[in-house]
Amino acid sequence: MSEVLTKGKLAKEAAAKLVAKTTEEKNNALSIIAEQLQKETPYILKENEKDIENGKANGLSDALIDRLLLNEERINGMIESLRQLIYLQDPVGEVLESWTRPNGLQIEKVRVPLGVVGMIYEARPNVTIDASSLCLKTGNAVLLRGSSSALHSNMAIVKVIREALEKANFPADSVQLLEDTSRETAAEMFKLNDYLDVLIPRGGKNLIKTVVENSSVPVLETGAGNCHVFIDESADKKMAIDITVNAKTQRPSVCNAAETLLIHENWNKEYIRELIEKLEEKNVELRVDQALYNEFPHLKLATEEDWETEYLDYTMAVKLVSNVDEAIEHINRYGTNHSEAIITENAANVEKFFKLVDSAALYHNASTRFTDGFEFGFGAEIGISTQKLHARGPMGLPALTSTKYIIKGSGQIRE
Amino acid sequence: MSEVLTKGKLAKEAAAKLVAKTTEEKNNALSIIAEQLQKETPYILKENEKDIENGKANGLSDALIDRLLLNEERINGMIESLRQLIYLQDPVGEVLESWTRPNGLQIEKVRVPLGVVGMIYEARPNVTIDASSLCLKTGNAVLLRGSSSALHSNMAIVKVIREALEKANFPADSVQLLEDTSRETAAEMFKLNDYLDVLIPRGGKNLIKTVVENSSVPVLETGAGNCHVFIDESADKKMAIDITVNAKTQRPSVCNAAETLLIHENWNKEYIRELIEKLEEKNVELRVDQALYNEFPHLKLATEEDWETEYLDYTMAVKLVSNVDEAIEHINRYGTNHSEAIITENAANVEKFFKLVDSAALYHNASTRFTDGFEFGFGAEIGISTQKLHARGPMGLPALTSTKYIIKGSGQIRE
């Protein structure tokens, strides 16, 4: 039997035991994992060094090496997240609805774990501890498939977690890592419907695309964010400039950073000039439509492709629109339904924007950068869903749960 | 451009207009559809006759012909369902949660339509009107692909719906039917991620399996129900017999009918004898395990396959178990996570059963036949989900919605 199939079965068996664990037992397990990570930090760092050496030998970029790198500070960060997770409310067992039918049947809708979560992710070893702890808190078993470049680090972290699980009297197979990181194991996971309840890809656009296109296991899609800021005719100058600069430059490499700026054609030309200057001061390359190009010929002319691009960099496409309707149409056409902001003093336009833009998070007079589980106050984040089924936008712990109906009767039969 | 792609694009455009419709406007459209169906009944019946004639010429079974057949009574039934749908609460616009962050951002989680729903279904033309009206009520556009055997009926119904939509000032493309019902159009729908937000298969096991295995569009899986009744040691005789007979024979062809009976080995032997007699009186063929076979040698001996089979017929597998744990293990191993009942007077066993059996609906002292949107009081049913993402168990109107976050600020930027 293949590694994927063997571990898939073991995960399902572990999941069947995890549903019986109380919140206290789960929190205790998380606490023991935190202690073991502390104690085993030297071992994990030693194993991480192997990945770093291999990475350098294989010519990985400095940025990738940095993503791979663990040090005491980063491990302490993981431990700190674990300890915070203990204080978060356990969604499992929550009664979401309850009612009694005329025939006396009492129906309750109760939150339960999903079962087995499959994670396919790239480089960063912190996802290993993140995913494992979030799944444990919600009573799920997890089957992890990281990248080969982080294999030593991942194996070390999972070894430490599994030892902690045994100490906590939890099935060690609640957390498993695939040691074979070939394409074949990913392909096998895509079809593992008998053992996986959901597959969550974490990583670049291509990884996510491959998973979505090939998985018959239900997928929680996260990722792409071609986010927009629309400055309406009535927008306050300072607010518009501050929010646009923040949405673009506060951290350009993340999915909730703005990529395209739409400006109402009647917005004050001097304001536009000032906004452009502020963005240029921050080293943002602007790619503008013909109308703006005529006005500001030192800028680059945008192509059709620019409207579709998630730059994740100091680049921004800019276009004049004649009204809020054109802005909405542009966003729904070129966007990725992630996060969009309207800057305006016009209440009717806000309402229209909120109603008609088909995105996970819509902002009035605030930066798109707030689309984030922590900024929303969830205390944890599984990712930001860009699909419409199950969960949309920032996902907290409840996104890792399902529900069941519990019905109490006294002999009812159907006529 | 192919029919699927063309209609997919038109559906997405229609969906963008549907989100702006109020509950009153949607109810008005449903009411006009009901009127038009009434008026056009002779036309629909004439078109249905063509399908019936073709069906007979192609040698369809009487049961299939009956599923295809429309008559005045059945059309009146559809119209009645439509009128009831008007009175159901519109889930769209409902604020599910709202809170304010320390930085003053006001966040609301609001229900919105899914967008475009793809339906792939078999014979029954009533699904055409059912799916269309449920989607319209929830503000979704729908792309329908019925079976070739019902093509004339489906085309006629969709024509009538589209005429009604135009009268109601709705985009006619809110409801579209694929006229090409070849395998290729289904395959094209499976990959139509740019235009479909969800794909719902309705029909037999093979149809659903094909969709789940091949679709990269998120699927709402409905269907298979290998449901169990477990009679515990302490079960009341009359209750156990009534519920088992009801769960098996009240309507054996549906997914929430019981297929396997598990009996605690210490349950009174005379009760078992009486239960077997009652089931035999109803013409149920019993396939029993070795222990029961020794006791009742006139019955058939079950094979491993019987534990996995959804008979959808007057057949039932029966097995003795030594305790509730063995019953739970059997159900989780062989079941399809649909609906299961425990008959017992032992509260601890109920709790264990509710916690450890991994199914959408769990019953204490009631028949599994109640797993149904109408019996649950939802007033409508999209289907019964057997997956764990998005919706599980009977699905009412909210299963056809997603959510978005609406965030109101006053210039907030991220530090």
Side-chain angles (χ1 to χ4, degrees):
Chain A
M1 215 188 308
S2 72
E3 188 193 7
V4 174
L5 197 56
T6 307
K7 292 189 173 172
K9 282 190 180 183
L10 291 171
K12 195 167 177 176
E13 286 168 26
K17 289 176 187 142
L18 281 177
V19 291
K21 297 295 183 188
T22 64
T23 301
E24 285 75 17
E25 288 169 328
K26 292 187 287 186
N27 286 341
N28 181 50
L30 291 174
S31 158
I32 295 176
I33 292 173
E35 281 164 29
Q36 290 293 110
L37 281 175
Q38 193 93 67
K39 204 188 290 175
E40 298 289 352
T41 299
Y43 163 65
I44 294 170
L45 292 181
K46 209 184 70 203
E47 293 299 304
N48 179 250
E49 247 170 55
K50 296 181 190 168
D51 288 332
I52 299 296
E53 273 167 34
N54 288 341
K56 285 180 178 161
N58 292 330
L60 289 192
S61 71
D62 286 355
L64 282 179
I65 292 284
D66 183 64
R67 274 172 53 181
L68 261 184
L69 184 75
L70 291 179
N71 52 36
E72 223 161 293
E73 195 192 333
R74 288 185 178 183
I75 292 185
N76 285 339
M78 296 178 193
I79 292 168
E80 183 50 32
S81 300
L82 258 174
R83 296 207 192 278
Q84 284 174 11
L85 187 57
I86 292 171
Y87 292 102
L88 287 188
Q89 205 194 316
D90 182 357
V92 171
E94 192 189 341
V95 178
L96 296 174
E97 295 168 58
S98 67
W99 66 100
T100 303
R101 296 289 300 151
N103 61 7
L105 284 180
Q106 292 174 278
I107 307 183
E108 280 185 2
K109 185 178 184 176
V110 184
R111 272 201 201 280
V112 297
L114 279 171
V116 182
V117 175
M119 288 287 303
I120 299 189
Y121 57 106
E122 287 170 344
R124 296 183 193 238
N126 66 310
V127 175
T128 308
I129 176 72
D130 233 44
S132 304
S133 56
L134 293 171
C135 285
L136 284 171
K137 176 83 188 190
T138 45
N140 294 292
V142 65
L143 182 58
L144 302 159
R145 184 192 171 283
S147 79
S148 55
S149 62
L151 187 59
H152 289 99
S153 314
N154 288 339
M155 281 174 67
I157 294 170
V158 168
K159 184 162 179 273
V160 171
I161 294 174
R162 290 169 58 96
E163 283 166 5
L165 286 171
E166 279 176 351
K167 282 195 184 178
N169 203 19
F170 269 53
D173 293 329
S174 307
V175 176
Q176 295 178 94
L177 176 77
L178 293 179
E179 297 182 11
D180 178 352
T181 55
S182 63
R183 263 166 207 277
E184 286 69 30
T185 58
E188 221 183 323
M189 283 177 88
F190 297 162
K191 303 294 173 193
L192 205 64
N193 295 54
D194 285 345
Y195 301 108
L196 298 182
D197 292 291
V198 62
L199 204 50
I200 307 180
R202 287 272 293 262
K205 205 156 60 172
N206 290 333
L207 171 76
I208 291 168
K209 193 161 172 265
T210 304
V211 174
V212 168
E213 284 179 1
N214 295 293
S215 176
S216 57
V217 174
V219 173
L220 269 183
E221 187 175 354
T222 61
N226 177 12
C227 303
H228 298 72
V229 172
F230 167 52
I231 298 177
D232 198 9
E233 189 171 10
S234 62
D236 173 80
K237 181 182 93 168
K238 181 174 183 318
M239 211 184 263
I241 292 177
D242 287 352
I243 288 173
T244 306
V245 170
N246 184 262
K248 178 68 254 177
T249 69
Q250 196 259 346
R251 199 171 166 204
S253 63
V254 292
C255 60
N256 58 20
E259 307 291 4
T260 296
L261 171 64
L262 303 171
I263 306 176
H264 194 292
E265 59 187 11
N266 294 342
W267 203 48
N268 189 309
K269 279 287 168 305
E270 283 316 304
Y271 296 178
I272 297 183
R273 184 179 307 275
E274 198 171 319
L275 172 56
I276 288 175
E277 280 169 16
K278 287 277 199 289
L279 287 166
E280 287 182 320
E281 275 168 25
K282 294 271 189 179
N283 296 314
V284 178
E285 179 186 308
L286 298 174
R287 306 195 182 168
V288 303
D289 69 349
Q290 188 67 52
L292 280 167
Y293 184 73
N294 296 343
E295 203 91 17
F296 304 97
H298 74 287
L299 298 174
K300 262 199 170 174
L301 192 61
T303 64
E304 178 74 8
E305 208 192 327
D306 283 301
W307 313 124
E308 302 172 337
T309 304
E310 185 186 11
Y311 302 111
L312 297 173
D313 206 345
Y314 288 89
T315 310
M316 190 171 220
V318 193
K319 186 180 162 62
L320 293 187
V321 293
S322 50
N323 51 41
V324 66
D325 302 277
E326 193 187 335
I328 291 168
E329 215 184 298
H330 181 99
I331 294 170
N332 284 339
R333 178 163 173 201
Y334 294 104
T336 54
N337 315 108
H338 194 296
S339 301
E340 338 287 347
I342 180 173
I343 322 296
T344 190
E345 299 300 312
N346 180 326
N349 286 357
V350 176
E351 203 186 327
K352 210 176 214 184
F353 192 85
F354 280 174
K355 186 128 200 167
L356 298 183
V357 176
D358 185 22
S359 297
L362 298 173
Y363 294 85
H364 172 223
N365 290 350
S367 170
T368 57
R369 287 280 294 110
F370 289 106
T371 304
D372 174 303
F374 297 95
E375 292 298 325
F376 271 37
F378 297 163
E381 185 187 272
I382 322 299
I384 298 171
S385 164
T386 50
Q387 69 184 33
K388 292 196 192 163
L389 281 197
H390 188 68
R392 196 180 192 200
M395 296 185 286
L397 293 176
L400 286 177
T401 66
S402 181
T403 56
K404 63 166 68 158
Y405 288 106
I406 278 173
I407 303 106
K408 294 171 191 160
S410 50
Q412 284 85 346
I413 59 173
R414 188 151 167 197
E415 306 297 326
Chain B
M1 215 189 307
S2 72
E3 188 193 6
V4 174
L5 197 55
T6 306
K7 292 189 172 172
K9 282 188 178 182
L10 291 171
K12 194 167 178 177
E13 286 169 26
K17 290 177 186 143
L18 281 177
V19 291
K21 298 294 183 189
T22 64
T23 302
E24 285 75 17
E25 288 169 326
K26 292 187 287 185
N27 286 341
N28 180 50
L30 291 174
S31 158
I32 295 177
I33 292 172
E35 280 164 28
Q36 289 293 108
L37 281 175
Q38 193 93 65
K39 206 187 290 176
E40 299 289 354
T41 299
Y43 163 65
I44 295 170
L45 292 183
K46 210 185 70 204
E47 293 299 304
N48 179 250
E49 246 170 56
K50 295 182 190 167
D51 288 332
I52 299 296
E53 273 167 34
N54 287 341
K56 284 181 179 162
N58 292 329
L60 289 192
S61 70
D62 287 354
L64 282 179
I65 292 285
D66 184 62
R67 273 172 53 181
L68 261 184
L69 184 75
L70 291 178
N71 52 36
E72 224 161 291
E73 196 192 331
R74 287 185 179 182
I75 292 186
N76 285 339
M78 297 177 190
I79 293 169
E80 183 50 32
S81 301
L82 258 173
R83 297 210 191 277
Q84 285 173 10
L85 187 57
I86 292 171
Y87 292 102
L88 287 188
Q89 205 195 315
D90 182 357
V92 171
E94 192 189 341
V95 178
L96 296 174
E97 295 168 59
S98 67
W99 67 100
T100 303
R101 295 290 300 151
N103 61 6
L105 285 179
Q106 293 175 277
I107 306 183
E108 280 185 1
K109 185 178 186 177
V110 183
R111 272 201 201 281
V112 296
L114 279 170
V116 182
V117 175
M119 287 287 304
I120 299 188
Y121 56 107
E122 287 170 344
R124 296 183 191 240
N126 66 310
V127 175
T128 308
I129 176 73
D130 233 46
S132 305
S133 56
L134 294 171
C135 285
L136 285 171
K137 177 84 189 191
T138 44
N140 293 292
V142 65
L143 182 58
L144 302 160
R145 184 193 172 283
S147 78
S148 55
S149 62
L151 187 59
H152 290 98
S153 315
N154 288 339
M155 282 175 66
I157 294 171
V158 168
K159 184 163 180 273
V160 171
I161 295 175
R162 289 170 60 96
E163 284 166 5
L165 286 171
E166 279 175 352
K167 282 194 183 180
N169 203 19
F170 269 53
D173 292 330
S174 307
V175 176
Q176 294 178 95
L177 177 76
L178 293 178
E179 297 183 12
D180 177 352
T181 54
S182 63
R183 263 166 207 278
E184 286 69 30
T185 59
E188 221 183 324
M189 283 178 88
F190 296 161
K191 302 295 172 193
L192 206 64
N193 295 54
D194 285 345
Y195 301 108
L196 298 183
D197 293 291
V198 61
L199 204 49
I200 307 180
R202 286 273 292 262
K205 205 157 60 173
N206 289 332
L207 171 76
I208 291 168
K209 192 161 171 265
T210 304
V211 175
V212 168
E213 284 179 0
N214 295 293
S215 176
S216 56
V217 175
V219 174
L220 269 184
E221 187 176 353
T222 61
N226 177 13
C227 303
H228 297 72
V229 172
F230 167 52
I231 299 177
D232 199 10
E233 188 172 11
S234 62
D236 175 79
K237 182 183 92 168
K238 181 174 181 317
M239 211 183 264
I241 292 177
D242 288 352
I243 289 173
T244 306
V245 170
N246 184 263
K248 179 69 253 179
T249 70
Q250 197 260 345
R251 199 170 166 204
S253 63
V254 292
C255 60
N256 58 20
E259 307 291 3
T260 295
L261 171 64
L262 304 170
I263 307 175
H264 194 292
E265 60 187 10
N266 295 341
W267 203 48
N268 189 307
K269 279 285 167 307
E270 283 315 304
Y271 296 177
I272 298 184
R273 184 178 308 274
E274 198 172 318
L275 171 56
I276 289 175
E277 281 169 15
K278 286 279 199 292
L279 287 166
E280 288 181 319
E281 275 168 27
K282 295 272 189 178
N283 295 315
V284 177
E285 179 187 307
L286 298 173
R287 305 194 182 167
V288 303
D289 71 347
Q290 189 68 52
L292 279 166
Y293 183 74
N294 296 343
E295 204 93 15
F296 304 97
H298 74 286
L299 298 174
K300 261 198 169 173
L301 193 60
T303 65
E304 179 74 8
E305 208 192 327
D306 283 300
W307 312 125
E308 302 173 336
T309 304
E310 186 186 11
Y311 302 111
L312 296 172
D313 205 344
Y314 288 89
T315 310
M316 188 171 221
V318 194
K319 186 180 162 64
L320 293 186
V321 293
S322 51
N323 52 41
V324 66
D325 302 277
E326 193 187 335
I328 291 168
E329 215 184 299
H330 182 98
I331 295 170
N332 284 340
R333 178 165 174 198
Y334 294 104
T336 54
N337 316 106
H338 193 295
S339 301
E340 338 287 347
I342 180 172
I343 323 295
T344 190
E345 300 300 312
N346 181 326
N349 286 356
V350 176
E351 202 186 326
K352 209 176 214 182
F353 192 85
F354 280 173
K355 186 129 201 165
L356 299 182
V357 175
D358 184 21
S359 297
L362 298 173
Y363 295 85
H364 173 221
N365 290 350
S367 170
T368 57
R369 287 281 293 111
F370 290 105
T371 304
D372 173 303
F374 298 94
E375 292 297 326
F376 271 37
F378 297 163
E381 186 189 272
I382 322 299
I384 298 170
S385 163
T386 50
Q387 70 184 32
K388 291 195 192 164
L389 281 198
H390 188 65
R392 195 181 193 200
M395 296 186 286
L397 294 175
L400 287 177
T401 66
S402 181
T403 56
K404 63 166 70 156
Y405 288 106
I406 278 174
I407 303 107
K408 295 170 191 161
S410 49
Q412 282 86 347
I413 58 172
R414 189 151 167 197
E415 305 296 326

